[in-house]
Amino acid sequence: MEAPTIICQALKEQGVQYMFGVVGIPVMEVAVAAQQVGMHYIGMRNEQSAAYAAQAIGFLTQRPAVCLAVSGPGVLHALGGLANAKVNCWPLIVIGGASDAPQEGTGAFQEWPQVEACRPYCKYAARPPSAQLIPYHVMRAVKETTFGRPGAAYLDFPGDLLQQSVPEAEVEWYGRLPPPPQALAEPAQLAAAVALLRAAARPLIIVGKGAAYGRAEAPVRRLVETTGLPFLPTPMGKGVLPDDHAQCVSAARSLALAEADVVLLLGARLNWMLHFGRPPRYTAACQFIQVDICPEEFHTSRPAAAALFGQVALVADQLTEAYGAGGRPDQLAHWWRRLRDKAAANQLGVQAQISDHSVPLNYYAALQCVQDNIPQDSIIVSEGANTMDIGRTLLLNRLPRHRLDAGTFGTMGVGLGFAIAAATYCRQEKPEQRVICVEGDSAFGFSGMEVETMFRYRLPVIIIIINNSGIYSGMERPLWDEITAGGETTLSAPPTSLLPDCRYDRMTSLFDSSEQPSGWSCNTIPQLVSALRAALQLTDRPAIINVKIDPLSTRRPQAHDWLTRAKM
């Protein structure tokens, strides 16, 4: 039995269904073997995008997918994806080819200390010593990526090992791992948490990405609706409860954080995304209840008043039962009034920009138009600075695991890889569902050639590029021409500017032989509505909608520095 077949058969045995990669020596045969054993293989244009796609599958399915990379530079290209999976806590296995072991230390082709290079970003990194032991290391990689806090693993395969062939009877096969063990919160900590919530004058629930990954939507909904407490989702916690749920206070986020006296964190971490749990975003007296599957996360940044170790789904049910029915509507009436008044004021504040359809468009008008014209159950992928941040408030999620964005690591370039993964997943599991990839023009540039991948695999992703001709801000063509005329552009072109008037929609003509258009450039809201409707009719290939907006369009002024760095 050949080593590539052993690798893929062991992966299949452990429930791994997808492999994304860039083939070459010495891993070509691994990709072929993956298809032969029934795994879905998607050939990408860059290993970094392949790693992003594989980890998105991990988030969507709770099972790791594989990023396949060639030796040396290929593995190095995948390191960005490994790091993103580690910080995001998503399952991912990277399989790297390597130079032949007998040539190690001699300057072999693409020789590099790959296991050592990957180890800082992994929960498990190893080089199987023989073909017979490959299934053991595959099992370990799957276990480490899914048990406890999810993460990444790396398996290294020298070219000479990949050429091995051994009798199947000598291979040490391992059966499929059982599901990860489940844990319930300690009774004493549970009682302390319920006491805090019942005594709080201004309680708040924050629903994190961990609740989405943990399939906790039904228990979390029971908890929220039983207690009657307001909740906020983190960006990828959106959809665990619908964004338009009556108890969602996203429109009053700053006030909710600033005035809460007790915060219940459901699978969310007190990192930069939640402003470290510290003033000025929170009061110094605010008390935190943490629910997490990783005990090392407790008491980070701020002491936890109650630390509930266990799966969010199980602990949410424990909290619901211990809290009891009835809520506290009278005691919380003032808190709810403050939140709703602030939400109404904030929504009024953005309505003028949403309603402003003057040309060039602004972010709010363009993104609200997208929201109004896409299916409610769409998986929304988004990246870019203002594009992503404003989109978090305007592009609603009503179902869990239906938003994928730059995440905890703030990684730009993830968008097209995530969209490919989501569309591949939908094809197998939810064929009627659409993937909408909303990109800033700068973010799109990181992985734009993956559009060819989408065409090759007939993935009907709708890519919407919010084009302001820059990073944060750009400039109109006349000003660009004036600034760069007659001189060296490396000395005159502003670092934040990209080339004005880029027609990203024309990229589709490179790959699309159909007479039916799949690319549109839009300057007005009616043009955008028409393009969205036409793009939704395409079911066998991607579409690109290039939306030109004002290069100086920005988000509404924020009450605090976005990293709250002043108090760190």
Side-chain angles (χ1 to χ4, degrees):
M1 192 172 192
E2 296 178 344
T5 302
I6 298 172
I7 293 170
C8 296
Q9 192 63 51
L11 288 165
K12 186 87 180 295
E13 179 65 29
Q14 296 301 334
V16 177
Q17 301 180 59
Y18 300 93
M19 180 181 289
F20 302 81
V22 179
V23 295
I25 297 171
V27 298
M28 191 89 69
E29 291 79 8
V30 177
V32 173
Q35 293 179 317
Q36 289 174 340
V37 303
M39 292 177 63
H40 300 283
Y41 177 79
I42 300 91
M44 306 285 284
R45 299 302 295 261
N46 183 281
E47 292 88 355
Q48 194 171 82
S49 291
Y52 294 147
Q55 66 193 262
I57 289 287
F59 175 65
L60 293 170
T61 69
Q62 292 185 314
R63 302 299 293 179
V66 170
C67 166
L68 181 67
V70 300
S71 52
V75 172
L76 288 177
H77 289 166
L79 286 184
L82 275 174
N84 195 66
K86 175 183 173 67
V87 176
N88 253 5
C89 306
W90 286 359
L92 166 68
I93 297 173
V94 173
I95 288 178
S99 52
D100 289 5
Q103 297 176 351
E104 192 168 310
T106 66
F109 175 68
Q110 295 186 332
E111 181 181 355
W112 188 253
Q114 295 169 187
V115 177
E116 294 86 343
C118 294
R119 185 165 282 124
Y121 312 105
C122 295
K123 293 178 68 180
Y124 184 71
R127 171 184 282 190
S130 68
Q132 290 90 334
L133 290 174
I134 286 173
Y136 168 78
H137 290 279
V138 167
M139 178 274 294
R140 280 289 306 274
V142 172
K143 180 169 72 72
E144 296 289 345
T145 59
T146 56
F147 280 43
R149 172 164 282 177
Y154 174 69
L155 295 178
D156 195 65
F157 290 96
D160 57 310
L161 176 57
L162 290 173
Q163 294 299 314
Q164 286 187 15
S165 180
V166 298
E168 184 172 359
E170 294 181 9
V171 179
E172 297 185 20
W173 296 103
Y174 281 78
R176 184 164 180 173
L177 287 162
Q182 306 287 294
L184 292 167
E186 298 176 52
Q189 292 295 314
L190 188 70
V194 170
L196 285 166
L197 289 172
R198 283 207 159 273
R202 299 177 302 281
L204 178 68
I205 296 174
I206 296 180
V207 180
K209 179 174 63 210
Y213 177 84
R215 304 296 196 273
E217 49 268 22
V220 169
R221 186 166 195 149
R222 284 193 292 270
L223 173 63
V224 167
E225 294 179 350
T226 296
T227 60
L229 304 183
F231 77 89
L232 279 175
T234 63
M236 275 186 278
K238 284 162 58 71
V240 172
L241 284 89
D243 283 341
D244 53 4
H245 191 283
Q247 289 167 249
C248 180
V249 292
S250 290
R253 183 180 189 272
S254 292
L255 176 74
L257 298 180
E259 296 191 8
D261 58 357
V262 173
V263 174
L264 170 61
L265 299 166
L266 297 176
R269 292 174 280 176
L270 286 179
N271 53 24
W272 70 274
M273 297 190 79
L274 289 176
H275 316 286
F276 314 103
R278 299 178 183 179
R281 284 287 196 171
Y282 302 79
T283 67
C286 183
Q287 295 181 286
F288 292 90
I289 302 166
Q290 290 181 268
V291 180
D292 207 287
I293 59 172
C294 178
E296 289 85 353
E297 191 60 43
F298 298 133
H299 315 296
T300 298
S301 188
R302 288 286 296 269
L308 306 182
F309 170 61
Q311 273 68 26
V312 173
L314 298 181
V315 176
D317 276 339
Q318 284 183 286
L319 286 167
T320 302
E321 182 178 356
Y323 193 95
R328 296 187 291 128
D330 295 337
Q331 298 94 317
L332 299 180
H334 176 71
W335 179 224
W336 268 112
R337 188 159 50 250
R338 288 272 296 145
L339 292 168
R340 285 172 175 149
D341 287 350
K342 183 62 173 176
N346 285 344
Q347 288 167 337
L348 188 63
V350 302
Q351 190 57 49
Q353 295 184 72
I354 290 173
S355 302
D356 180 5
H357 292 180
S358 59
V359 177
L361 296 169
N362 67 74
Y363 282 105
Y364 292 85
L367 290 169
Q368 185 62 50
C369 180
V370 172
Q371 165 62 29
D372 292 341
N373 288 279
I374 60 174
Q376 290 191 358
D377 64 352
S378 299
I379 294 181
I380 297 171
V381 178
S382 187
E383 62 174 333
N386 290 332
T387 297
M388 180 177 65
D389 292 339
I390 298 170
R392 284 170 175 165
T393 65
L394 296 180
L395 302 177
L396 304 184
N397 292 101
R398 297 174 176 86
L399 295 170
R401 298 169 296 282
H402 277 58
R403 180 180 176 87
L404 298 164
D405 69 18
T408 310
F409 209 19
T411 308
M412 291 297 114
V414 297
L416 272 64
F418 282 1
I420 287 168
T424 303
Y425 166 77
C426 285
R427 175 179 287 172
Q428 304 304 320
E429 305 293 336
K430 303 175 180 180
E432 301 304 316
Q433 217 155 31
R434 298 308 298 263
V435 176
I436 313 294
C437 183
V438 184
E439 299 272 305
D441 52 335
S442 171
F444 176 76
F446 282 84
S447 55
M449 277 304 294
E450 297 298 349
V451 171
E452 186 273 334
T453 307
M454 295 178 181
F455 270 100
R456 192 171 1 121
Y457 291 101
R458 303 186 181 94
L459 300 174
V461 176
I462 299 176
I463 303 169
I464 301 165
I465 300 171
I466 306 297
N467 186 354
N468 71 343
S469 302
I471 304 166
Y472 301 110
S473 62
M475 57 180 59
E476 296 280 8
R477 169 64 71 176
L479 182 56
W480 168 269
D481 290 343
E482 178 184 339
I483 289 175
T484 61
E488 173 54 64
T489 52
T490 58
L491 299 176
S492 60
T496 61
S497 288
L498 301 173
L499 189 68
D501 304 324
C502 282
R503 289 289 304 275
Y504 297 104
D505 53 294
R506 290 180 176 171
M507 285 186 67
T508 62
S509 66
L510 300 175
F511 316 115
D512 192 356
S513 59
S514 169
E515 294 183 1
Q516 187 178 8
S518 54
W520 296 268
S521 186
C522 304
N523 295 294
T524 69
I525 291 298
Q527 289 173 345
L528 179 53
V529 171
S530 177
L532 286 165
R533 290 175 178 171
L536 285 167
Q537 299 304 309
L538 301 179
T539 58
D540 61 347
R541 61 193 186 279
I544 297 179
I545 302 175
N546 182 64
V547 186
K548 183 174 172 57
I549 69 165
D550 184 349
L552 299 180
S553 179
T554 61
R555 64 184 303 185
R556 292 179 64 240
Q558 303 299 294
H560 298 284
D561 180 281
W562 73 294
L563 289 175
T564 323
R565 60 169 56 87
K567 294 292 182 179
M568 285 301 294

